[in-house]
Amino acid sequence: MKKSVFYNSFITIVRQILSLIIGLLAATIIARILGPEKQGQYTLAILLPTILFTFFNSGISISTVYFIGQEKYSDSQVYHSNFLISLLLSVLSISVGLLVVFFLSDYFFANISVQLLLYTLLIIPIIFIQKNLQSFLHSKENFSKLNFVVILNQLGLLFFSLIFIWLLKLAVLGAILSFACTQLLMAVVSYFIIKKEYSLGFSFEASIPYLKESLIFGLKGHLSNILTFLSYRVDIFIIAYFLDDISVGVYSIAVLLVERVWLIPQAVSSVLFARISNLKTDDEKTNFTAFASRNTLFLTLITGTGLAVLSPWLINFLFGIDFKDSISPFLYMIPGVILFSLSKVLANDFVGRGFPEVNSYIALIVAITNLILNVLLIPKMGLIGAAISTSVCYGIDAIIKVIYFSRYNKISFFKFVFVRRSDFLFYTTKINALINYIKQ
């Protein structure tokens, strides 16, 4: 039986808070031992397999959640087909990665050895497999196990960082090995969870109709994922090109911390996407999303404001005086990051309704704007310019999605942007129920 959205979101948030604490501890160890310059090199090195996965995953994770929610294909057809496509897309990604390493590394990875970059390419098949395994758990709304894997991600990174970076003192190589081992750990655990709970094992037996339809559907929204990721990370490459590895390291810490503000929208949007795919009428979907979006923005505003106030102390305490220059970029990014919480919820609504291409059109506008602003501002203003560009583009993305959602569903933006009195009554009811549950 499917649990309530509030329950799934609450449990997801609680576990993400635990994951956040463990993840910050791991990030602190890595940053303090590596220092700004090597932290920058590690950030760039890991960005290579991450961006290749983003470019070539073809939206399969989105298709998995959508088609299982629609019950058009069996669990076995979807699950086994995803193994085959993970293998094929991994080969494609590694092939392109080799071209990047041997012909373009001097532009963005000048201070990172070719050997290290080649090591990162070996992580790509593991990333494909573990992401698709997680998307299967997501499609089944098995958030208890999915959240366990998320926590395991941070625990693994902490554990392996202590071994490879602190004990063995392998520096950037140790950080890369920590990342790789963590991805492998998540993949193995996810595989055995699915095998135990759904009696599904490893196989390349694929459903050709599903592969065709999932690729067509996935590619509709895949451009959006690529462009959104570029909006997230293009500033890192431009900083590396115009500035240096130290600047990349400093900026990466600001980004790492500011993205923790998305803890609530990520939890809510994850639950929302799976549930929207299962709702039958447009009115149900609209009312559900309206409630989720306005409350997500409200809670993110509180979280973001609190982090902004604490950021000078928090960055110095966690990462040390070497990363003090992360504070200003962090503060400039906060307004856009808060607004972008709306985007995360509304984007999953569009996909859950079967219209992922809407996100692609919006993401194209935002990505072009972000690229232009970064190229103009970073050479003149440095890291502050990158942060301003990011914040402005997040705001633009949110505004466009709010306008589209309002017009398409014929609903006033007041209903899904601003928190209502009835929402506070909802909080009161749920908190009282939680207190009574704890007492019992």
Side-chain angles (χ1 to χ4, degrees), residues 224 272 342-352 355-356 359 401:
S224 169
L272 180 139
L342 276 175
S343 293
K344 284 185 168 290
V345 176
L346 297 180
N348 278 285
D349 175 90
F350 301 152
V351 177
F355 305 117
N359 292 325
K401 283 176 180 158

Side-chain angles (χ1 to χ4, degrees), residues 4-69:
S4 73
V5 174
F6 175 83
Y7 176 86
N8 283 335
S9 297
F10 176 76
I11 294 300
T12 300
I13 290 170
V14 169
R15 286 175 176 153
Q16 285 196 359
I17 290 173
L18 179 58
S19 175
L20 168 65
I21 294 170
I22 300 169
L24 280 177
L25 181 57
T28 298
I29 292 171
I30 293 171
R32 280 185 172 271
I33 294 176
L34 295 184
E37 184 175 9
K38 290 182 178 178
Q39 171 72 24
Q41 292 172 4
Y42 165 62
T43 300
L44 287 168
I46 293 304
L47 200 54
L48 179 59
T50 306
I51 201 169
L52 287 168
F53 167 79
T54 303
F55 266 82
F56 296 108
N57 71 68
S58 301
I60 296 302
S61 294
I62 294 174
S63 297
T64 299
V65 178
Y66 181 75
F67 283 111
I68 287 184

Side-chain angles (χ1 to χ4, degrees), residues 62 217-218 220-222 224 350-351 354-361:
I62 294 174
F217 180 82
K220 289 180 181 179
H222 184 51
S224 169
F350 301 152
V351 177
F355 305 117
E357 64 272 15
V358 172
N359 292 325
S360 298
Y361 302 143

Side-chain angles (χ1 to χ4, degrees), residues 168-392:
L168 299 180
K169 303 186 186 304
L170 294 178
V172 178
L173 174 60
I176 292 171
L177 288 172
S178 300
F179 177 79
C181 289
T182 301
Q183 297 296 311
L184 180 61
L185 177 65
M186 286 193 293
V188 171
V189 171
S190 297
Y191 173 79
F192 282 108
I193 288 173
I194 293 170
K195 187 174 182 180
K196 179 181 178 181
E197 299 210 357
Y198 304 101
S199 301
L200 294 169
F202 179 80
S203 173
F204 284 135
E205 183 180 347
S207 165
I208 302 303
Y210 165 73
L211 286 177
K212 289 181 178 178
E213 198 166 355
S214 66
L215 283 171
I216 292 170
F217 180 82
L219 287 171
K220 289 180 181 179
H222 184 51
L223 178 61
S224 169
N225 290 337
I226 292 174
L227 294 172
T228 300
F229 183 83
L230 288 177
S231 295
Y232 283 1
R233 297 293 181 259
V234 71
D235 45 5
I236 296 289
F237 285 114
I238 297 176
I239 290 169
Y241 183 81
F242 283 114
L243 303 178
D244 52 33
D245 291 344
I246 293 176
S247 298
V248 172
V250 168
Y251 190 74
S252 72
I253 293 301
V255 171
L256 182 147
L257 190 59
V258 81
E259 289 182 354
R260 301 312 98 186
V261 176
W262 288 335
L263 183 148
I264 293 172
Q266 283 172 342
V268 174
S269 62
S270 175
V271 174
L272 180 139
F273 175 32
R275 185 57 57 89
I276 281 285
S277 297
N278 291 304
L279 294 177
K280 303 305 179 187
T281 70
D282 284 341
D283 284 344
E284 284 181 309
K285 295 175 180 179
T286 300
N287 292 330
F288 181 59
T289 301
F291 173 82
S293 64
R294 65 177 181 259
N295 284 282
T296 297
L297 178 62
F298 172 68
L299 295 172
T300 305
L301 176 62
I302 295 173
T303 305
T305 303
L307 269 178
V309 171
L310 295 173
S311 61
W313 172 83
L314 196 60
I315 289 174
N316 285 327
F317 174 75
L318 290 176
F319 304 104
I321 196 68
D322 289 342
F323 290 93
K324 67 180 187 303
D325 290 337
S326 301
I327 297 170
S328 293
F330 172 86
L331 292 173
Y332 276 99
M333 280 189 277
I334 276 288
V337 166
I338 291 173
L339 283 176
F340 197 69
S341 63
L342 276 175
S343 293
K344 284 185 168 290
V345 176
L346 297 180
N348 278 285
D349 175 90
F350 301 152
V351 177
R353 293 174 192 259
F355 305 117
E357 64 272 15
V358 172
N359 292 325
S360 298
Y361 302 143
I362 296 171
L364 179 60
I365 297 170
V366 175
I368 293 172
T369 304
N370 193 30
L371 179 62
I372 293 171
L373 287 176
N374 272 302
V375 171
L376 291 176
L377 296 180
I378 289 176
K380 294 180 179 179
M381 303 176 66
L383 300 185
I384 299 300
I388 290 173
S389 173
T390 297
S391 195
V392 168

Side-chain angles (χ1 to χ4, degrees), residues 44-59 89-101 104 109 117-118 120-125 127-128 222 226 229-230 237:
L44 287 168
I46 293 304
L47 200 54
L48 179 59
T50 306
I51 201 169
L52 287 168
F53 167 79
T54 303
F55 266 82
F56 296 108
N57 71 68
S58 301
L89 293 175
S90 295
V91 172
L92 175 61
S93 301
I94 291 173
S95 300
V96 174
L98 289 171
L99 295 176
V100 172
V101 170
L104 297 175
F109 308 101
L117 293 175
L118 292 175
T120 66
L121 295 183
L122 298 176
I123 307 172
I124 290 175
I127 295 176
F128 268 98
H222 184 51
I226 292 174
F229 183 83
L230 288 177
F237 285 114

Side-chain angles (χ1 to χ4, degrees), residues 25 40 53 84 116 136 151 158 191 240 273 301 350 395 431-433:
L25 181 57
F53 167 79
L84 176 61
L116 279 180
F136 183 84
I151 294 174
L158 175 60
Y191 173 79
F273 175 32
L301 176 62
F350 301 152
I431 290 171
N432 287 335

